[in-house]
Amino acid sequence: MQTDMLRLSYTLDSIEAAAARFWQETLGYRVFAFSGEMGAGKTTFIHKLCDHLGVTDAVSSPTFALINEYHFTDGNGVDQLIWHMDWYRLRDSEEAFNAGMEDGIEQARAGNAFCFIEWPEKAAEILQPPYLRINIETTGDGEREMIITPVL
Ligand SMILES: Nc1ncnc2c1ncn2[C@@H]1O[C@H](COP(=O)(O)OP(=O)(O)OP(=O)(O)O)[C@@H](O)[C@H]1O
Ligand SMILES: [Mg+2]
């Protein structure tokens, strides 16, 4: 069993602070796998994470595109790449492979991108450690609990 690294409870009023805390605690990780039911808030939180990095591209759910690309400029003035994937519509790992998902993850693991994945369980074999597993649960009206666990 892996041990939890961090638990965060938040509402839409406190989601910015939760996103800031997330980045403080997850330094060094590049691949983030977000699980949680439909409407749990995966896309909403990823959007806030991107805002925090200074992404100026429109962040939206890649439900149909399967993968979105965003950019931001880091503290050293270097352009950084983000892949935002949604595997909900994928049937299996072969489809994920053919859609180029593995390349994006590899690039992130090599330190050349960040990679956010919604519905990672749809093509689990593609996702090799190390990565962070993030589980979001609805704990009340407008309230969410996030559990972050390293998979090493
Ligand atoms: N604390 C909260 N955090 C995130 N979303 C919240 C919160 N409270 C309410 N919401 C609402 O819940 C919805 C979450 O939708 P979102 O698209 O982010 O879910 P998702 O997990 O990405 O779903 P899907 O599996 O369909 O991709 C939004 O309408 C958002 O406004
Ligand atoms: Mg979503």
Side-chain angles (χ1 to χ4, degrees):
M1 267 306 276
Q2 310 271 3
T3 16
D4 300 346
M5 177 182 188
L6 181 67
R7 281 172 184 252
L8 292 171
S9 291
Y10 58 92
T11 63
L12 288 179
D13 286 333
S14 61
I15 195 168
E16 264 99 21
R21 181 89 198 283
F22 181 101
W23 282 128
Q24 276 170 14
E25 303 285 338
T26 62
L27 284 178
Y29 285 93
R30 291 280 182 161
V31 179
F32 305 93
F34 285 81
S35 297
E37 289 175 5
M38 248 183 225
K42 300 178 292 296
T43 302
T44 303
F45 199 81
I46 290 166
H47 195 163
K48 293 298 169 189
L49 291 177
C50 289
D51 285 352
H52 196 87
L53 294 173
V55 169
T56 49
D57 305 292
V59 176
S60 63
S61 176
T63 309
F64 296 99
L66 299 181
I67 180 161
N68 289 347
E69 176 181 352
Y70 316 127
H71 291 263
F72 69 97
T73 306
D74 71 14
N76 299 316
V78 178
D79 180 65
Q80 297 278 348
L81 176 63
I82 298 174
W83 297 116
H84 179 189
M85 304 172 176
D86 189 336
W87 292 359
Y88 185 73
R89 286 158 58 87
L90 293 177
R91 242 172 322 200
D92 52 33
S93 294
E94 193 187 344
E95 263 191 25
F97 186 81
N98 292 338
M101 302 300 183
E102 209 176 29
D103 295 339
I105 295 169
E106 273 310 312
Q107 199 179 18
R109 196 177 296 144
N112 298 321
F114 290 85
C115 187
F116 300 122
I117 305 158
E118 298 187 40
W119 294 101
E121 42 285 297
K122 295 278 176 175
E125 291 121 78
I126 291 281
L127 192 53
Q128 298 298 322
Y131 64 91
L132 279 189
R133 179 166 55 215
I134 295 122
N135 203 64
I136 306 178
E137 284 199 21
T138 302
T139 47
D141 195 17
E143 213 174 69
R144 302 291 189 270
E145 185 178 44
M146 173 177 287
I147 300 175
I148 304 171
T149 316
V151 181
L152 303 171

